Amino acid sequence: MEPLDVLHLREVTDELAATGKRVKVLWQRPESLAFVARGREYRSEFHVNQSDEVTYMIKGTMQLHYRTPDGREQVAVLTEGSTNFMPAGTPHSPRFPPDAYALILERGRRPGEIDRFHWYCERCGGHLHEETFVVDDYTKDPVSQAYKRFFDSIAARTCKACGTVMPAP
Ligand SMILES: [Fe+2]
């Protein structure tokens, strides 16, 4: 067995700040995926995946928007140094600024497992758009790819119910 690695979160956040990157994957194993993420100021979608998720706020505050099984939107506020557990399958939208940092712990994706991104209308709450994909490697930054497809399409951003167009960032 190799000696066990020890990672310093401060070094990880310093590296993200210096490079401007959004995500640093710390490890990905079948039963454990860990990454540090900086906030994305334009984040508006809800992510749905089949892994329990633990968030630890290293720096700054996160407004963790989530949707209950009956479709109500709620917000858990994670201040610096706090942590929480979110069960698998909860649609969630972690909103925090680029100078805030969170450690996220999930399990690795199972082969063929599908991640979903849902966008909802900011005016009427209607369902706008879904992106689905298989996350085979988290270092490919699937969030950025899904965002590009959504924001490149005016049709995807236009509410079928009320006609409101979600603005591009
Ligand atoms: Fe709408």
Side-chain angles (χ1 to χ4, degrees):
M1 181 179 170
E2 298 288 310
L4 295 178
D5 247 359
V6 175
L7 299 170
H8 292 276
L9 293 173
R10 180 59 188 271
E11 289 173 10
V12 176
T13 58
D14 284 352
E15 180 190 323
L16 288 173
T19 60
K21 288 183 179 166
R22 299 287 182 163
V23 174
K24 165 94 174 179
V25 175
L26 304 183
W27 61 80
Q28 43 182 347
R29 301 293 176 91
E31 294 302 323
S32 178
L33 163 66
F35 58 94
V36 173
R38 302 170 61 200
R40 299 173 195 249
E41 54 279 41
Y42 50 83
R43 191 135 190 200
S44 54
E45 99 298 349
F46 286 76
H47 184 204
V48 187
N49 59 291
Q50 297 308 313
S51 166
D52 291 341
E53 196 162 317
V54 170
T55 300
Y56 168 70
M57 269 330 271
I58 303 166
K59 180 172 185 285
T61 297
M62 175 190 289
Q63 314 282 327
L64 180 58
H65 291 239
Y66 62 100
R67 297 176 76 90
T68 62
D70 59 359
R72 280 176 303 122
E73 185 169 331
Q74 311 251 277
V75 184
V77 179
L78 280 93
T79 54
E80 188 166 311
S82 65
T83 187
N84 83 332
F85 171 84
M86 185 172 56
T90 304
H92 59 283
S93 181
R95 300 179 189 176
F96 55 122
D99 62 350
Y101 299 85
L103 172 66
I104 314 292
L105 302 170
E106 307 178 2
R107 64 158 169 73
R109 299 296 184 273
R110 307 254 153 88
E113 197 166 72
I114 292 170
D115 278 45
R116 299 172 188 282
F117 283 126
H118 290 175
W119 280 268
Y120 296 88
C121 176
E122 288 174 335
R123 175 175 289 171
C124 77
H127 184 262
L128 272 186
H129 183 68
E130 177 182 79
E131 286 276 340
T132 62
F133 51 90
V134 173
V135 183
D136 55 350
D137 181 356
Y138 216 90
T139 61
K140 291 177 185 165
D141 196 359
V143 177
S144 292
Q145 294 181 37
Y147 262 87
K148 180 163 186 351
R149 287 196 294 268
F150 175 67
F151 284 115
D152 281 353
S153 166
I154 287 180
R157 291 187 278 117
T158 303
C159 179
K160 285 73 181 169
C162 78
T164 302
V165 179
M166 183 180 283

